[in-house]
Amino acid sequence: MHKLIAITGGIGSGKSTLAKKLALRGYCVWDADLFSREVLFFPQVQARIKTIFGDSVFIGNGILDRELVRKQIFSSPKLKKSLEGILHPAIAELLKAKLSALKENAPSAWAFYEASLILELGRKENFDACVVVIAKENVKLKRLKLNRKLSESDARKIMQTQMSDEQKIKYADFVIDNSKDESELEKSIDNLLLFLREKFS
């Protein structure tokens, strides 16, 4: 029986690092951010985006000017909600299709799905287990400065819009504190996999 496991956490928590390490161990790992880019090329998604933002948001060859859209939704919560109303169902359908293919070709495989907003969107029930990745605030800020070139004020603004680690932990089946070095993360992954084997046995 295949299993779908959520990996979620706040910005800078290191959930992508966890996902990459699971992929290196041979597990099927999907990334909601990559899915969101993929669905932007679906004709029905592009048509709906054009009705809200106009044709000018596409540069050419069906490529969305993400920076232009980002600027528009940053100043308009209503536009942001409209875009999410287009993208989230399309991403859910893409995930469903991927799961169907996995089920057919590897019926007992586990798939890990990395996404930031699983808990915020109330989607936990769609998963067989939910892994929440947390990290200390100073570690998150340092990562966001180094990896995303964000200023501390911008990083804090984004963090304030997200559900706190304390809130996320309440919904977690397993919590990984990714504040330390990679060797500690590897130990946490060993413990996670042991937990999941016991849970699914």
Side-chain angles (χ1 to χ4, degrees):
M1 186 85 179
H2 80 282
K3 299 294 180 185
L4 181 61
I5 302 140
I7 297 174
T8 193
I11 188 169
S13 61
K15 59 187 178 296
S16 295
T17 306
L18 169 64
K20 285 171 187 170
K21 287 189 174 294
L22 286 165
L24 286 171
R25 292 189 185 210
Y27 289 95
C28 175
V29 179
W30 294 320
D31 182 345
D33 285 342
L34 294 180
F35 279 19
S36 71
R37 291 172 186 268
E38 190 172 337
V39 299
L40 289 174
F41 291 95
F42 291 3
Q44 66 273 25
V45 170
Q46 291 198 355
R48 291 187 66 195
I49 289 173
K50 285 177 183 177
T51 61
I52 296 169
F53 294 93
D55 293 354
S56 62
V57 294
F58 286 92
I59 303 165
N61 298 323
I63 297 170
L64 185 72
D65 186 338
R66 294 168 67 89
E67 190 55 39
L68 179 60
V69 171
R70 193 177 288 114
K71 283 177 183 173
Q72 290 189 41
I73 64 174
F74 187 75
S75 57
S76 172
K78 188 178 177 182
L79 277 180
K80 184 174 184 283
K81 194 171 182 182
S82 296
L83 182 62
E84 288 171 347
I86 297 168
L87 295 182
H88 290 162
I91 292 167
E93 282 301 309
L94 181 56
L95 175 60
K96 190 176 174 183
K98 299 265 189 187
L99 271 174
S100 180
L102 182 70
K103 202 173 179 180
E104 189 175 331
N105 295 295
S108 60
W110 294 356
F112 291 87
Y113 183 67
E114 179 201 345
S116 300
L117 299 176
I118 288 166
L119 299 176
E120 286 86 343
L121 294 172
R123 300 265 169 88
K124 191 199 168 185
E125 66 275 8
N126 297 342
F127 298 87
D128 298 293
C130 178
V131 180
V132 169
V133 184
I134 63 170
K136 292 176 181 174
E137 187 177 275
N138 65 310
V139 174
K140 290 182 186 178
L141 290 169
K142 186 178 177 182
R143 286 174 182 159
L144 293 171
K145 186 178 178 181
L146 285 173
N147 302 332
R148 304 215 189 173
K149 312 301 179 192
L150 290 175
S151 66
E152 183 172 327
S153 61
D154 285 345
R156 286 187 183 279
K157 280 177 192 172
I158 295 170
M159 287 163 67
Q160 284 163 9
T161 66
Q162 298 183 333
M163 188 184 285
S164 70
D165 285 351
E166 290 74 22
Q167 288 173 298
K168 286 180 185 288
I169 286 169
K170 293 175 186 175
Y171 298 94
D173 293 297
F174 194 90
V175 177
I176 288 181
D177 186 341
N178 194 11
S179 300
K180 298 177 184 175
D181 59 27
E182 288 199 13
S183 63
E184 288 298 317
L185 178 57
E186 293 289 359
K187 289 177 191 173
S188 295
I189 293 172
D190 290 338
N191 291 333
L192 167 64
L193 295 174
L194 180 62
F195 167 80
L196 292 173
R197 286 187 200 105
E198 290 176 350
K199 180 178 175 64
F200 298 147
S201 64

